């Protein structure tokens, strides 16, 4: 599973963990986040996130 990093502030969204504090359940893929999803730290939009491969993906 890839982690998505906010290019503006560095917040990491990990689908494995979700974002329960903001109503996003564990296991929610980044692509499945609501259109209006914003970075919980800086308010950046989904378009401001960059995909980072997890170490396990790099090994495959």
């Amino acid at each position: 599973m890839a982690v998505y990093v906010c290019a503006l502030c560095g917040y990491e969204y990990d689908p494995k963990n979700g974002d329960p504090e903001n109503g996003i359940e564990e296991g929610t893929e980044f692509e499945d986040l609501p259109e209006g999803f914003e970075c919980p730290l800086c308010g950046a939009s989904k378009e401001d996130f960059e995909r980072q491969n997890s170490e396990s993906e790099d090994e495959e």
Side-chain angles (χ1 to χ4, degrees):
M1 232 179 241
V3 172
Y4 290 80
V5 179
C6 178
L8 302 180
C9 74
Y11 168 79
E12 293 185 3
Y13 176 77
D14 186 341
K16 176 177 54 175
N17 300 325
D19 188 5
E21 292 178 10
N22 293 297
I24 308 295
E25 294 183 21
E26 293 178 6
T28 302
E29 293 291 338
F30 187 79
E31 295 80 11
D32 296 331
L33 292 173
E35 270 310 304
F37 174 80
E38 295 180 342
C39 175
L41 299 182
C42 73
S45 68
K46 282 176 71 172
E47 289 77 31
D48 292 313
F49 279 74
E50 299 173 351
R51 179 186 171 120
Q52 303 286 314
N53 288 336
S54 67
E55 289 182 20
S56 60
E57 276 188 321
D58 292 339
E59 294 172 3
E60 292 178 0

